[in-house]
Amino acid sequence: EVQLVESGGGLVQAGGSLRLSCAASGFTFDDYDIGWFRQAPGKEREGVSCISTEDGSTYYSDSVKGRFTISTDNAKNTVYLQMNSLKPEDTAVYYCAASDVTVCYSGTYYPIYDYDSWGQGTQVTVSS
């Protein structure tokens, strides 16, 4: 059974940092593209970043580029999202997701319905 478990969310002041973790199990981690998404209250879920297992390429949405960094530790089957210079508008529930097809090739297009495994989400709240 494919499982993704996020952790690392919390409350932080604007300008602060958090590192989210996504622990994966039940599948061969390095055969999957992994994405991070977020959903703020009343808004649609949006793609934030992804990493391609084909060549390790990473992509970011314009709203987080230069502030967030996605990385993997294949030995631990874990994907991280380092979030720096956090802003109140980053407040959302953050989800990681996995796909066994190539879905990570752009920072501006995240084919959400092609990600077939999702974690339960972790809340990130940034106070002003």
Side-chain angles (χ1 to χ4, degrees), residues 56-79:
S57 296
T58 58
Y59 300 90
Y60 302 91
S61 67
D62 288 343
S63 61
V64 307
K65 194 177 298 181
R67 301 187 297 121
F68 290 13
T69 303
I70 189 171
S71 62
T72 62
D73 184 335
N74 286 357
K76 295 183 178 180
N77 259 25
T78 300
V79 179

Side-chain angles (χ1 to χ4, degrees), residues 99-126:
S99 174
D100 61 357
V101 298
T102 300
V103 293
C104 177
Y105 45 82
S106 169
T108 57
Y109 176 63
Y110 295 83
I112 189 169
Y113 296 108
D114 289 335
Y115 284 86
D116 42 30
S117 299
W118 291 81
Q120 82 289 349
T122 185
Q123 176 71 47
V124 171
T125 303
V126 184

Side-chain angles (χ1 to χ4, degrees), residues 72-92:
T72 62
D73 184 335
N74 286 357
K76 295 183 178 180
N77 259 25
T78 300
V79 179
Y80 302 100
L81 186 68
Q82 178 66 44
M83 308 187 296
N84 299 328
S85 302
L86 283 162
K87 304 175 181 180
E89 51 263 44
D90 294 318
T91 295

Side-chain angles (χ1 to χ4, degrees), residues 3-109:
Q3 279 195 325
L4 298 170
V5 179
E6 302 96 335
S7 62
L11 173 64
V12 64
Q13 288 188 330
S17 299
L18 284 173
R19 189 177 79 158
L20 305 184
S21 299
C22 172
S25 62
F27 62 98
T28 304
F29 184 73
D30 54 7
D31 287 341
Y32 281 65
D33 283 0
I34 305 294
W36 280 100
F37 294 78
R38 67 186 181 186
Q39 189 166 19
K43 294 188 177 181
E44 293 186 351
R45 193 169 297 189
E46 63 171 350
V48 171
S49 179
C50 67
I51 185 164
S52 167
T53 56
E54 181 174 355
D55 59 6
S57 296
T58 58
Y59 300 90
Y60 302 91
S61 67
D62 288 343
S63 61
V64 307
K65 194 177 298 181
R67 301 187 297 121
F68 290 13
T69 303
I70 189 171
S71 62
T72 62
D73 184 335
N74 286 357
K76 295 183 178 180
N77 259 25
T78 300
V79 179
Y80 302 100
L81 186 68
Q82 178 66 44
M83 308 187 296
N84 299 328
S85 302
L86 283 162
K87 304 175 181 180
E89 51 263 44
D90 294 318
T91 295
V93 178
Y94 283 71
Y95 301 87
C96 65
S99 174
D100 61 357
V101 298
T102 300
V103 293
C104 177
Y105 45 82
S106 169
T108 57
Y109 176 63

